[in-house]
Amino acid sequence: MSKRIPVIIDTDIGDDIDDAFALCLAMQSPEIEILGVTTVFKNSRARAMIAKRLLELGGHPDIPVAAGASIPLSNPEMFGKPVDFEELPKSYRPEYETGLYSVLTGMELIISILENSSEPVTVVTLGALTNIADVLRYRPDLKKKIRQINVMGGAYYMNWTEYNYACDPEAADMVMCSGLTVKAVGIDVTLHCVPEKKWMLALNSHTHPCIQMLMEMCRMWTKDGNVCLHDPLALWSVFDESVLEFEQQIYRVESRARFTRGICIKLSDHNWQMPGRDSRLYVAKQVDAPAFVARCMDRIVSMGEMK
Ligand SMILES: [Ca+2]
């Protein structure tokens, strides 16, 4: 098989369950090599513990995990309310503590991986973009070591302030303006990616310890068992764009307004006179949700099977 794509996964695992699904999908995807996992937003230490435990149970104790920025660049409140940056994630349990995560910060781990990689690395962001913005601020010379950034974040075709961008609008805007190739899947497409009940039943009766932890986390997050595969779609887009239609556009993330901090504004239109063809931002316009959900869930339920 062809060479694997080196990736760093930056995640706010521990609240919405889709990050844990994305990590399981990553472990089940031979197209990629996970060089490291970093965590972001609010209690990033607890998030690192969760990620480390899930990777261990999935058979990858060797993948380094580092706790990244808990606090955004400049965002003391979200949706008009203050944020408790030390709050534990909803699907955290003390049993997940292994103590084996990296002594480096998230930013340091990303820098170290980029410095030591012989080829450009793909960064996949599944939460606020604070860690990546910090890397770009402190080590702009390492841009050349980033192949592209695959982002779950934003809403591009509907009027909605998406959560990851609302967590840290300044960081999201910095990544948009970085000049790096950014492939963004927004919530307007990921909302369509809901697994049918048969997949959840298969996971509920699964015997693999990693899947059992995934479902334990799932029950702590949602009472009704509803899951939406936002983050797994961003991960999937790293190695297979056939289920997506991307559009080259210019967007900026609003950071100065009172009610719309974190909202995406399209600038590649006739008013702003910025042609999208000059942009290196590609936003997902369509997804073949049935095809993606089936392929993604098939990989996750196959965990532990002999290949
Ligand atoms: Ca996430």
Side-chain angles (χ1 to χ4, degrees), residues 11-13 16 18-19 126-127 152 163-164 231:
T11 168
D12 59 351
I13 190 168
D16 194 325
D18 61 325
D19 295 78
L126 310 178
M152 191 283 127
Y163 178 85
N164 290 342
D231 291 341

Side-chain angles (χ1 to χ4, degrees), residues 34-102:
I34 312 169
L35 301 182
V37 173
T38 53
T39 58
V40 70
F41 199 63
K42 299 213 285 193
N43 199 321
S44 65
R45 181 195 168 280
R47 297 193 197 282
M49 289 294 183
I50 295 170
K52 188 71 188 171
R53 184 75 184 133
L54 199 63
L55 289 168
E56 280 178 352
L57 292 176
H60 295 273
D62 48 323
I63 295 174
V65 177
S70 289
I71 300 177
L73 299 185
S74 170
N75 199 33
E77 60 176 41
M78 279 177 74
F79 306 115
K81 296 189 184 71
V83 181
D84 175 5
F85 292 114
E86 293 176 43
E87 185 185 13
L88 283 168
K90 295 210 167 38
S91 51
Y92 166 84
R93 281 189 159 188
E95 302 93 278
Y96 298 158
E97 298 267 347
T98 63
L100 291 174
Y101 71 100
S102 173

Side-chain angles (χ1 to χ4, degrees), residues 144-164:
K144 60 182 181 294
K145 301 297 285 286
I146 299 175
R147 184 175 78 97
Q148 66 181 36
I149 305 182
N150 288 65
V151 174
M152 191 283 127
Y156 305 94
Y157 301 96
M158 64 182 184
N159 181 8
W160 187 330
T161 309
E162 184 275 329
Y163 178 85
N164 290 342

